Amino acid sequence: MPADLALRSAAAGFRRDHDDLQVRWISPENLHVTLVPPWESDDPGTVCCALEEIAAGCSAIPVRFDVVSPGPDPGSPRLLWATGMAPVALSRLFITLRRRFGDGKEADREMLLHLTLARFDRQRGRTMPSPTLHGQVEWTGVLDELRLYESVLKPSGAEYRVLCRAPLDRA
């Protein structure tokens, strides 16, 4: 689900305030909340039709992020992310999508609402200047669209191409 303008603005402000960090920042247009981990599909059209069907029964979901910290393992972080408590509606959508598109192993696990802001580049020796970076934030936004992305891996980091969009009801 793409980050809306409010979340992209909050992330941009954080980036400006922390421009000394030696990380690969995620470009604003690529900020998103992942509900189903990457997988390969031989038929993206079928996936897009299913997303449209699922989205038709969902309303836009307000979200709130409370903390920016290294993660997912603070002792050996791979990324910098904003996290928050997933609203019930998002948790339900998460379960629906995982059951439909996941491998079944994680369909019933609890959702961790997160927005990846940056990645650490261990190959170039870029690491966190302070492993204790952990800050409270009050970022709010609305998730109002399901998207199927194609991830293209490049030396500079992943680039995402939108294969389809399925809007949620903004009522």
Side-chain angles (χ1 to χ4, degrees), residues 7-168:
L7 291 172
R8 290 192 314 267
S9 295
F14 182 87
R15 182 176 177 167
R16 276 191 305 277
D17 293 344
H18 296 85
D19 65 354
D20 61 325
L21 294 178
Q22 294 295 308
V23 296
R24 287 182 303 163
W25 293 100
I26 305 299
S27 63
E29 64 273 5
N30 284 336
L31 291 172
H32 64 276
V33 172
T34 300
L35 297 179
V36 178
W39 87 98
E40 292 195 28
S41 172
D42 294 330
D43 187 5
T46 299
V47 175
C48 290
C49 287
L51 288 179
E52 289 171 6
E53 176 186 310
I54 292 167
C58 296
S59 295
I61 303 169
V63 292
R64 176 187 167 110
F65 294 89
D66 304 307
V67 175
V68 171
S69 64
D73 175 4
S76 180
R78 295 188 324 262
L79 50 91
L80 185 64
W81 62 4
T83 57
M85 179 71 84
V88 172
L90 188 60
S91 293
R92 287 183 185 141
L93 180 58
F94 171 81
I95 290 168
T96 298
L97 292 168
R98 290 284 175 120
R99 286 183 177 159
R100 184 83 175 250
F101 302 112
D103 61 9
K105 295 177 186 172
E106 299 181 3
D108 294 320
R109 78 172 172 91
E110 187 174 320
M111 179 185 181
L112 172 63
L113 175 63
H114 67 280
L115 185 66
T116 300
L117 305 172
R119 296 193 181 280
F120 305 122
D121 189 351
R122 291 197 177 119
Q123 289 178 323
R124 295 188 178 155
R126 293 181 179 174
T127 59
M128 287 294 296
S130 168
T132 60
L133 176 67
H134 188 96
Q136 299 294 316
V137 296
E138 292 182 16
W139 298 355
T140 59
V142 176
L143 303 177
D144 63 358
E145 185 176 73
L146 295 177
R147 287 187 182 176
L148 178 62
Y149 291 99
E150 178 180 36
S151 179
V152 180
L153 300 179
K154 296 188 172 191
S156 59
E159 290 184 10
Y160 302 100
R161 186 171 68 105
V162 178
L163 298 180
C164 64
R165 294 175 165 87
L168 278 59

